[in-house]
């Protein structure tokens, strides 16, 4: 067992974030590595999210999955963000408006965030979610490193903006794939 390296994966020219059951999401994510951009990946996700509600209905009633991809869409000539999500008995697709989308949801609630936020506010939102999960003993894993992923027409940048309070404990217990980046983050943020 180890800490995951990051919540948002950069694949080619797109950023991918997921929520839900790890095994289902890992299978989807592994398939996405065959694609370089959001336009070519969207049909694969359409097929997955057509299939998953049938599987949920027939053999896996607790199945949950959500995938968000963001990147430059040549077909649309703009940055695009798409979300696929399993609902009770079907799936939904949403073409998300410009803004922040790969952020923590608080107690299942989606609240609009401004298009840009300073790192300090991003970390505060993440800490509130961490506190809620810890206090209420929700069955979700939140901890380790807080990354901020920024998608622009020309590039995708990912950087550490904070650490959860139990980072050192988890890193000692499970190992940290981001150890070098964390050391640099700590060096720069304490300078």
């Amino acid at each position: 067992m180890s800490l995951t390296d990051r919540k948002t994966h950069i694949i080619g020219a797109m950023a991918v974030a997921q929520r839900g059951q790890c095994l289902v999401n890992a299978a989807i994510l592994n398939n996405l590595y065959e694609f370089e951009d959001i336009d070519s990946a969207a049909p694969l996700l359409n097929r997955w999210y057509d299939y998953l509600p049938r599987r949920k209905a027939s053999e896996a009633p607790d199945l949950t999955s959500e995938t968000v991809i963001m990147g430059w869409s040549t077909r649309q000539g703009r940055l695009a963000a798409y979300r696929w999500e399993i609902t009770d008995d079907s799936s939904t697709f949403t073409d998300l408006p410009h803004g922040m989308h790969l952020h923590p949801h608080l107690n299942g609630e989606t609240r609009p965030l401004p298009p840009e936020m300073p790192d300090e506010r991003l970390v505060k939102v993440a800490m509130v979610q961490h506190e809620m999960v810890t206090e209420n003993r929700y069955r979700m894993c939140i901890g380790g490193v807080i990354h901020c992923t920024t998608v622009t027409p020309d590039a995708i940048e990912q950087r550490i903006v904070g650490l959860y309070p139990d980072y050192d404990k988890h890193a000692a217990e499970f190992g940290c794939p981001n150890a070098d980046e964390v050391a640099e983050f700590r060096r720069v943020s304490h300078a």
Side-chain angles (χ1 to χ4, degrees), residues 9 11 13 16 20 27 49 53 58 87 90 93 100 109 111 115 118 126 128 135 142-143 145 148 151 153 155 183 186:
H9 299 271
I11 301 174
V16 180
Y49 283 89
S58 66
T87 57
S90 64
F93 167 80
M100 296 185 59
E109 236 180 273
R111 293 185 181 189
V128 168
E135 286 181 9
I142 298 176
V145 175
C148 176
V151 181
R186 283 180 161 162

Side-chain angles (χ1 to χ4, degrees), residues 120 160-163 181-191:
E120 296 78 25
I160 294 174
V161 295
L163 304 172
E181 289 176 79
V182 169
E184 180 63 12
F185 171 76
R186 283 180 161 162
R187 186 187 71 72
V188 171
S189 63
H190 289 103

Side-chain angles (χ1 to χ4, degrees), residues 23-67:
L23 291 176
V24 171
N25 288 344
I28 293 169
L29 188 67
N30 286 336
N31 284 171
L32 286 172
Y33 279 98
E34 299 174 25
F35 302 95
E36 284 297 313
D37 59 44
I38 193 169
D39 294 327
S40 61
L44 169 79
L45 288 163
N46 286 334
R47 289 191 299 277
W48 267 103
Y49 283 89
D50 283 343
Y51 161 74
L52 289 174
R54 293 192 306 270
R55 178 145 189 252
K56 180 179 175 103
S58 66
E59 60 191 84
D62 295 331
L63 188 144
T64 61
S65 178
E66 175 186 356
T67 302

Side-chain angles (χ1 to χ4, degrees), residues 3-188:
L3 296 177
T4 57
D5 61 344
R6 53 205 73 238
K7 179 70 175 162
T8 302
H9 299 271
I10 299 171
I11 301 174
M14 63 184 156
V16 180
Q18 298 176 297
R19 290 184 182 89
Q21 292 178 335
C22 294
L23 291 176
V24 171
N25 288 344
I28 293 169
L29 188 67
N30 286 336
N31 284 171
L32 286 172
Y33 279 98
E34 299 174 25
F35 302 95
E36 284 297 313
D37 59 44
I38 193 169
D39 294 327
S40 61
L44 169 79
L45 288 163
N46 286 334
R47 289 191 299 277
W48 267 103
Y49 283 89
D50 283 343
Y51 161 74
L52 289 174
R54 293 192 306 270
R55 178 145 189 252
K56 180 179 175 103
S58 66
E59 60 191 84
D62 295 331
L63 188 144
T64 61
S65 178
E66 175 186 356
T67 302
V68 175
I69 59 175
M70 298 177 77
W72 180 260
S73 170
T74 303
R75 190 176 69 240
Q76 294 190 45
R78 66 175 177 89
L79 281 173
Y82 305 136
R83 179 176 55 224
W84 290 262
E85 184 175 15
I86 298 295
T87 57
D88 291 334
D89 60 354
S90 64
S91 65
T92 60
F93 167 80
T94 308
D95 185 346
L96 298 165
H98 179 77
M100 296 185 59
H101 298 290
L102 307 181
H103 62 83
H105 286 203
L106 302 176
N107 206 17
E109 236 180 273
T110 305
R111 293 185 181 189
L113 294 176
E116 295 180 23
M117 283 179 28
D119 292 350
E120 296 78 25
R121 275 193 70 199
L122 291 171
V123 171
K124 282 182 183 179
V125 170
M127 291 301 174
V128 168
Q129 184 188 36
H130 181 270
E131 187 177 311
M132 287 176 61
V133 167
T134 303
E135 286 181 9
N136 294 301
R137 295 188 176 127
Y138 293 141
R139 292 187 62 204
M140 22 182 353
C141 299
I142 298 176
V145 175
I146 303 168
H147 283 101
C148 176
T149 306
T150 304
V151 181
T152 67
D154 302 317
I156 300 174
E157 174 193 297
Q158 191 169 70
R159 59 195 167 76
I160 294 174
V161 295
L163 304 172
Y164 287 101
D166 46 11
Y167 169 80
D168 289 320
K169 175 183 175 278
H170 288 150
E173 190 173 346
F174 302 115
C176 179
N178 297 297
D180 293 340
E181 289 176 79
V182 169
E184 180 63 12
F185 171 76
R186 283 180 161 162
R187 186 187 71 72
V188 171

